Amino acid sequence: MDSQAKKTAITGAEIVIRCLNEEKVKFVFGYPGGAVLHIYDEIFKQNGFKHILVRHEQAAVHAADAYSRATGEVGVALVTSGPGATNAVTGIATAYMDSIPIVVISGQVPVPAIGMDAFQEVDMVGVTRPCVKHNFLVKDVKDIAATIKKAFYIAATGRPGPVVVDIPKDITAHLAEYIYSKTVEMRSYNPVLKGHSGQIKKAIKLLLEAKRPMIYTGGGLVLGNGTEELIKLARTLNYPVTNTLMGLGGYPATDKQFVGMLGMHGTYEANMAMQNCDVLIAVGARFDDRVIGNPTHFLSQKRTIIHIDVDPSSISKRVKVDVPIVGHVKSVLVEMNEVLAQENTKNDISKWWKQIDEWRTVKSLVYKNSDTVIKPQYVIEKLWEVTKGDAYVTSDVGQHQMWAAQYYKFDKPRRWINSGGLGTMGVGLPYAMGCQFAHKNAQVACVTGEGSIQMNIQELSTCAQYGLPIKVVLLNNRYLGMVRQWQEFFYENRYSESYMDSLPDFVKLAESYGHVGMQITKPSDVEGALKEAFAKKDKFVFMDFITDQDENVFPMIANGKGLSEMIMGKDNKHREELE
């Protein structure tokens, strides 16, 4: 290297920081360790982005994931080698299953030590290969900038997903000239964005000829920012709309055309309409097992299926479709609306709406409230009322997740943040952190269970450090609720290891971190507690609601059953005739 080059050369660690600032990263969630100390030293010197010190690497990736879900931007996490990297894997897999764009930078042992069982060495590329969109091992300092540029591009384009960049420690100390390209060209990666015009015209023709049409949307609609276009299409056609768990908020839940969430714990009207429609348009959804139940049962009803997805491998993967449209959902829906605007015909589906309204009379989400014990559904209904439906709601995984999905009416996209594909317990609190950093002044509620919250409860410390005014809504039934429900239904009430009999005093635990703690035991106190908590705009409030231990999530579709074979709640007057 000549003397002039030495003057302009900077370390690999400096290159990493400059790249992140070039990408206009606002937050990096991470935890330091030996292999990334050069990078952390450069973080200390810069002021382009804010580093958030979590208490566990899993929480760092979950928080970056939620930041992305809540903003549409690429989330960023930074972890060290070995156990730091493996701790991050659950978060990476969670993001992968839900197609969330994040970039995870992991430290690695020095290049000469790779493969030598060095201290804190793990093959991060090999470990994460099954659960990333792509990963890189950087072995030359001159490749850092180009690799990070590619990582952000790959994460955010096409079907989004996590990308891992593994950087050995010695590479972060080596010197190189800093060159950051404004564009990316990759011969092997060219995602299709624009849908086929002929297929789009064919789809509109089929929709206008339908007698029993159905619009079915998933997380891809939300991630693809296609909500406005979908609303326009649905309202122009006056067709019924259902969302998957991941698609909630993609169409306003309070709108009369919305028939509720579908699937394993979906509404009766949504599942029956999905099963009995004659033309189905799927937008950014993948017909997964929790949505359509038994595929054989679903396919027993003949229907024409239109499927829009940016990922061609998702089309006809589980269910063969008739009109595939590969492209970005927003651009495809824009063109569909343009084609529809040129049509003069109006489709009369009044008989179909009459049938749907009959299904609605079943009132599948009905439950009997109590004056003596808190019903978890009631807590969520009051949460929606107190927040005026305008909160960012994160959840962990279990019964509380399903109740939140059923009873909180999401009218806007990116307000419902939960783990759908992987079903990861422990995401709720770090998800709430990511949302609060993304939207400083927003109301953020974490709906959780006493099992899930303990999996990343150390993040109460992070919330204290950064003064995050999150509101935790713990639906505490002293059980691993969904496990207990399945054991009741399918294992003859053998509650094997599902009872939580050594719970902490959550109020004292919250207070030990400097937060506000409340325990609510009476139904009459639920609304008041929620109002009091959300009135404390600058305080983290942990609400421990002691709820009915025996309450189950209904409707429910058992494994191997079809969409029309729902188990209804004991409080539903139609229960016996439907089952």
Side-chain angles (χ1 to χ4, degrees):
M1 184 178 291
D2 59 38
S3 59
Q4 183 61 34
K6 285 181 180 178
K7 290 179 183 178
T8 59
I10 59 176
T11 66
E14 289 179 89
I15 292 172
V16 170
I17 302 308
R18 287 203 188 182
C19 291
L20 295 178
N21 284 321
E22 291 269 13
E23 293 293 335
K24 296 182 172 52
V25 171
K26 299 181 184 70
F27 294 96
V28 172
F29 301 88
Y31 201 93
V36 287
L37 282 184
H38 293 320
I39 297 175
Y40 270 91
D41 193 45
E42 293 303 326
I43 288 176
F44 184 84
K45 301 173 187 176
Q46 64 88 46
N47 57 11
F49 59 80
K50 185 174 180 62
H51 179 276
I52 306 302
L53 177 65
V54 297
R55 300 304 185 264
H56 192 284
E57 291 88 353
Q58 180 179 338
V61 183
H62 288 327
D65 171 345
Y67 181 86
S68 176
R69 294 182 198 237
T71 63
E73 300 170 15
V74 177
V76 181
L78 173 61
V79 300
T80 194
S81 65
T86 56
N87 282 346
V89 171
T90 297
I92 293 167
T94 301
Y96 178 72
M97 288 292 283
D98 289 343
S99 303
I100 307 302
I102 60 173
V103 170
V104 178
I105 298 172
S106 57
Q108 185 54 272
V109 299
V111 173
I114 292 176
M116 299 297 175
D117 296 329
F119 176 66
Q120 291 195 329
E121 179 189 2
V122 71
D123 177 8
M124 189 59 167
V125 168
V127 167
T128 61
R129 187 172 287 120
C131 59
V132 293
K133 187 174 179 184
H134 197 64
N135 57 23
F136 299 92
L137 172 61
V138 183
K139 288 189 174 183
D140 190 323
V141 66
K142 293 191 292 292
D143 295 332
I144 290 178
T147 302
I148 291 178
K149 183 68 180 179
K150 288 177 182 176
F152 275 85
Y153 175 68
I154 292 170
T157 56
R159 180 178 183 172
V163 179
V164 169
V165 181
D166 200 34
I167 309 177
K169 184 174 184 179
D170 57 334
I171 301 303
T172 61
H174 291 172
L175 298 172
E177 185 181 358
Y178 176 69
I179 303 171
Y180 199 68
S181 174
K182 298 296 182 185
T183 59
V184 176
E185 287 186 17
M186 300 174 67
R187 287 175 56 193
S188 60
Y189 179 68
N190 293 290
V192 175
L193 298 179
K194 187 173 170 57
H196 188 282
S197 294
Q199 293 290 83
I200 289 172
K201 290 176 182 176
K202 185 177 180 181
I204 291 296
K205 184 175 184 295
L206 286 166
L207 286 168
L208 289 173
E209 292 172 350
K211 301 300 180 189
R212 302 185 307 280
M214 188 71 179
I215 300 172
Y216 149 57
T217 79
L221 175 70
V222 175
L223 296 175
N225 299 314
T227 298
E228 289 184 14
E229 290 72 22
L230 188 281
I231 292 171
K232 182 179 179 180
L233 180 75
R235 288 180 177 167
T236 301
L237 292 167
N238 189 35
Y239 287 178
V241 183
T242 184
N243 296 156
T244 66
L245 177 72
M246 299 307 300
L248 293 175
Y251 190 84
T254 56
D255 190 273
K256 65 183 188 325
Q257 287 174 238
F258 187 64
V259 295
M261 180 179 74
L262 82 163
M264 179 174 279
H265 296 294
T267 66
Y268 184 73
E269 54 267 33
N271 285 342
M272 292 299 287
M274 183 77 168
Q275 182 66 19
N276 292 285
C277 66
D278 64 350
V279 175
L280 173 67
I281 179 168
V283 184
R286 57 191 179 90
F287 296 90
D288 75 86
D289 56 305
R290 292 293 175 107
V291 166
I292 63 166
N294 185 329
T296 303
H297 181 277
F298 180 69
L299 294 171
S300 66
Q301 293 284 94
K302 184 171 174 53
R303 64 181 71 75
T304 301
I305 301 176
I306 303 158
H307 192 177
I308 304 169
D309 206 292
V310 74
D311 180 5
S313 72
S314 288
I315 295 178
S316 290
K317 186 174 185 177
R318 297 197 77 241
V319 171
K320 184 171 173 40
V321 306
D322 303 283
V323 185
I325 303 174
V326 178
H328 193 279
V329 292
K330 185 181 180 75
S331 67
V332 172
L333 289 170
V334 165
E335 190 170 346
M336 290 187 83
N337 280 315
E338 290 171 354
V339 173
L340 185 60
Q342 296 168 9
E343 297 288 340
N344 296 318
T345 57
K346 275 285 185 181
N347 194 14
D348 180 10
I349 59 162
S350 55
K351 289 183 179 179
W352 180 229
W353 272 117
K354 184 179 180 182
Q355 174 63 78
I356 290 171
D357 287 339
E358 284 182 21
W359 287 328
R360 278 174 163 160
T361 63
V362 169
K363 299 188 181 305
S364 56
L365 297 183
V366 71
Y367 68 95
K368 188 176 181 180
N369 211 349
S370 169
D371 294 329
T372 56
V373 63
I374 296 173
K375 294 291 183 177
Q377 303 96 317
Y378 178 69
V379 177
I380 302 300
E381 287 181 331
K382 288 300 173 183
L383 175 65
W384 180 72
E385 290 177 14
V386 168
T387 61
K388 298 179 172 59
D390 199 35
Y392 287 83
V393 179
T394 74
S395 87
D396 275 294
V397 171
Q399 288 180 315
H400 58 272
Q401 176 190 24
M402 294 301 115
W403 284 315
Q406 290 175 327
Y407 293 94
Y408 197 99
K409 301 179 183 71
F410 294 96
D411 279 343
K412 300 176 184 177
R414 298 188 182 278
R415 295 302 183 97
W416 168 235
I417 315 293
N418 78 123
S419 170
L422 198 64
T424 307
M425 292 175 70
V427 298
L429 185 54
Y431 270 3
M433 288 160 38
C435 286
Q436 197 74 78
F437 281 115
H439 302 286
K440 182 180 178 182
N441 298 317
Q443 299 178 106
V444 178
C446 168
V447 177
T448 186
E450 72 289 340
S452 286
I453 190 65
Q454 293 188 85
M455 289 195 173
N456 268 313
I457 203 163
Q458 75 284 338
E459 298 309 312
L460 289 174
S461 177
T462 306
C463 295
Q465 179 176 344
Y466 296 99
L468 301 179
I470 293 162
K471 309 300 185 267
V472 172
V473 178
L474 173 62
L475 303 181
N476 186 347
N477 61 9
R478 288 81 73 208
Y479 272 112
L480 297 178
M482 194 59 85
V483 173
R484 183 205 58 77
Q485 179 168 334
W486 280 56
Q487 288 172 335
E488 176 185 331
F489 282 29
F490 311 119
Y491 296 90
E492 298 177 343
N493 298 308
R494 292 187 293 274
Y495 300 134
S496 176
E497 304 301 325
S498 57
Y499 179 64
M500 307 285 282
D501 59 357
S502 56
L503 293 174
D505 183 326
F506 287 109
V507 173
K508 288 182 179 178
L509 184 59
E511 290 174 346
S512 74
Y513 284 99
H515 302 311
V516 175
M518 301 177 180
Q519 187 180 80
I520 303 94
T521 60
K522 298 177 183 177
S524 57
D525 293 336
V526 169
E527 185 173 1
L530 286 166
K531 285 181 176 178
E532 182 183 347
F534 281 94
K536 299 179 186 297
K537 296 189 182 299
D538 61 344
K539 293 287 188 180
F540 183 108
V541 183
F542 195 118
M543 290 168 277
D544 182 13
F545 291 93
I546 307 302
T547 62
D548 188 345
Q549 280 195 291
D550 299 321
E551 198 68 19
N552 289 322
V553 181
F554 293 108
M556 180 181 180
I557 299 172
N559 271 354
K561 297 296 184 179
L563 281 177
S564 59
E565 300 175 300
M566 284 162 274
I567 302 170
M568 308 303 282
K570 62 180 180 297
D571 300 319
N572 194 297
K573 64 181 181 180
H574 297 277
R575 178 173 181 164
E576 289 186 6
E577 62 188 79
L578 294 173
E579 296 172 17

